[in-house]
Amino acid sequence: MNKSPWWASESFWRKTAVWVTAGMLVVLIFLTFDTVKKITAGSQRVPPYSVINKRIYYRLNPKRGFMEPIIGDDAPLFGTRLDEVEAEKLVSSGKMTIQAKNCMNCHTLLGNGAYYAPDLTKAWLDQGWGSELVREQMMVRFLMDPKTNGRGYGTMRRMPNLNITEKEARGIVAFLKWMASIDTNGFPHNFKTIPQEGDQ
Amino acid sequence: MKYSKTDYSTLSPGKKLAVKYFVVAIILFGAQLLFGAIAGAQYLHPGLFYNTLDFNVVRMVHINAMVVWMLYGFIGSVYWLIEDEAQTELVGYTLGNLAFWILTLAVTVVVAVYLLVQIGPGNQLSLWLINEGREYIEAPRWADIGIVICMLIFFYNVSATFMKGRWTGIAGVLVLDLVALAGLYLAGMFYTPNISIDQYWWWVIHLWIEATWEVLVGCIMAWALMHLLGTPRRIVQTWLYIEVALMFGPGILGLGHHYFWIGTPEYWLTIGGFFSALEPIPLVAMVVHAVYDAGKHDFKNRNHPAMAWLIAHAFGNFFGAGVWGFMHTLPQINLYTHGTQWSASHGHLAFFGAYASINIAMWYIAVQKLRGDVPFDSRLPHAWRWKWALALLNIGVLGMTLALLVSGYEQSFIERAIEGSTWAGYFKAQTAKWFVQGMWWRQFFGYATIAGYLLLVWDLATIGKTVSQPASGADKLPAHQPAVSR
Ligand code: HEM
Ligand SMILES: [Fe+2]
């Protein structure tokens, strides 16, 4: 077999493959540590679960050039203030219900999931709930009986009845409220929010 | 009916196992298409199976069947080629056989529970027993553990066989790749209320399909080119290393294109955009490699359907993953396409082009052996069957891809750009005329795909049966052919 130039030889590319892979893995591991620190609940980008005690806005930040969540005054969910532990428990029960009911195979969360139903990233802030005063109750009622309370906006698509209990529904609402407070680098872009007290 | 040339009993242990895996893969492929057709129909007739077999269940079965049949296909392919590559008989046939039956039983139970139980109350038990509710890795936790055990057995069989026999370049890449594949799966098994952390790890999926699976099919491709064309080992192995370097180089940090909008820091916009934009490079290289090799041998080979599917793989991988992936991988574009039918368009062409195609090529290689090694070339009777199966499957998937792309564009414009992604905006896009048209065309091409599948199954069941070429005929394998037959 005639000799190949070094840049076409098997051993050169074997070494390159090994070093490139190892190098990139190291970078990824380093970035992972940094990122996980920055997205742990209670960080700047991902607020603590007790944020459900506050009003959450989604507004344009001209400096960053996109919309970001703003945390406002007290507005406890279902009128009850929760401490951090209780809040986490409630949000977690919502998250667990969202998984057990397989919501993600119709909806998207943070834009990931299926495309048969609307994105839930900022569902808490959606104008569809009417007004701030009735939102929480509307959401709970809808989740427990979507067949009756759902609106297909002109499609025949309706959410099925998933046997969600009132307790589970409250957890889901808490989870959605908390999720709306995550800084998602401006996704979804230009979202039009429900009017809330304190809006300019 | 007598299968005169199907000499399954005379196959070597590895190849016997491979055939079993292939059969289940073909069945699950059919299930994938059936449930895909139902899911597509539900977009058009939302009342279909409402509150009995809802879209979320149908889509989950559609996607899980696909991931699992492809894994079966890959395991089968590795079992098929390992004895030729290691030049020794498979170590651990009994264990491998056991793993096959455990895995198949587990898959059956999981699907039955998906269909019959569907959902549970919001507690840990539901995630352990029914489904985990995370896209692509819905399998309940008990099944995760079973899958990992079966993968470990597979991994043991593969590395032990190479250890006993011959250790080649392909062997090295394959074994390391399987370690990464199993390790990634383990990393996905946990629960957290924090959706950002959840989705950070959830994208182990990316490192599967855009790194470890790509390299796995690279190994299969390398072996198949040697097997079909007699391409020298030095060349295919050098290409394999180049591919690994070009794939893992950008592909690992290309992961960042899933970290634009899930709460992760802004530096991912730059890193993810830059590295993932480089991901198509190895896919171009693969096209060059496959077409050049085939051309260099004047496309002379004894298995035309397999060769055609390998070429389809090279192009499908390039277009589906490379071009369709690139189109929405920059954050400036992804802000509008994220979470729309765009992703579905890309997903269809990428999975089919990159992974379905090469599995089908391996099925043709296997079935040739089962029919007593008769040539599958221009003298083959009923050749229209494989040609039409190839055409219908490719046109069907490409048609679906283009239809979904039109719908995806409409959705991005209307829902994302104009309406700002509210619920009302979502439905405004879903009822837009051109969006709906796209959905109808997707359904039409979906049926074309199913027709292609049925033809494929028929062809695999019958191809070469009426050929009475002696097994060791005048036209043997190409000259460079490494020792295959035992
Ligand atoms: C054979 C390899 C590939 C397969 C099978 C594949 C498959 C998929 C699938 C199924 C999704 C949808 C995820 C979801 O939202 O549920 C996806 C997303 C994506 N893929 Fe790929 N892909 C491949 C390669 C690539 C490559 C090489 C690129 C870049 C050049 C790419 C870019 C993207 C992007 C940007 C998304 C994100 C969509 C979003 O969530 O906004 N993909 N891929
Ligand atoms: Fe990706």
Side-chain angles (χ1 to χ4, degrees), chain A residues 1 10 32 34-35 39 45 64 92 95 99 101 105 110 112 115-117 126 157 159 168 185, chain B residues 50 59 122 132 138 191-192 194 198-200 234 237 260 263-264 266-268 338 423 426 430:
Chain A
M1 221 162 273
E10 206 177 319
T32 296
D34 186 67
T35 296
I39 61 175
R45 304 187 57 92
R64 292 173 84 191
S92 183
K95 169 74 165 16
Q99 288 184 226
K101 303 294 177 190
N105 266 304
L110 304 179
N112 290 314
Y115 323 115
Y116 192 71
D126 204 282
R157 247 181 264 173
M159 181 162 142
E168 289 173 336
N185 292 339
Chain B
Y50 176 67
R59 186 209 188 235
E132 232 179 296
E138 286 94 347
Y191 167 80
T192 166
N194 185 338
D198 188 340
Q199 295 201 358
Y200 187 89
R234 186 176 52 86
Q237 285 192 172
F260 296 155
T264 34
E266 275 174 66
Y267 54 68
W268 284 109
H338 181 52
W423 280 51
Y426 171 84
Q430 299 291 309

Side-chain angles (χ1 to χ4, degrees), chain B residues 174-186:
Chain B
L174 194 59
V175 166
L176 285 178
D177 198 57
L178 290 178
V179 175
L181 214 144
L184 283 173
Y185 197 79
L186 280 171

Side-chain angles (χ1 to χ4, degrees), chain A residues 11-113:
Chain A
S11 71
F12 169 74
W13 282 104
R14 186 188 319 116
K15 283 178 208 142
T16 309
V18 170
W19 282 108
V20 164
T21 306
M24 288 300 173
L25 261 180
V26 170
V27 178
L28 178 64
I29 289 167
F30 173 79
L31 287 173
T32 296
F33 276 108
D34 186 67
T35 296
V36 167
K37 204 168 68 205
K38 289 181 175 150
I39 61 175
T40 300
S43 63
Q44 178 105 46
R45 304 187 57 92
V46 180
Y49 300 108
S50 56
V51 79
I52 58 173
N53 292 320
K54 305 275 182 189
R55 198 169 271 112
I56 292 154
Y57 304 96
Y58 189 51
R59 292 185 184 141
L60 181 73
N61 176 342
K63 257 213 222 102
R64 292 173 84 191
F66 47 73
M67 296 173 85
E68 65 183 13
I70 306 287
I71 297 168
D73 302 341
D74 281 356
L77 187 65
F78 304 119
T80 330
R81 251 196 99 77
L82 301 179
D83 63 26
E84 188 55 41
V85 176
E86 293 164 331
E88 168 160 5
K89 219 176 129 209
L90 188 61
V91 170
S92 183
S93 85
K95 169 74 165 16
M96 194 110 56
T97 307
I98 279 179
Q99 288 184 226
K101 303 294 177 190
N102 204 359
C103 306
M104 208 175 181
N105 266 304
C106 280
H107 292 276
T108 44
L109 296 105
L110 304 179
N112 290 314

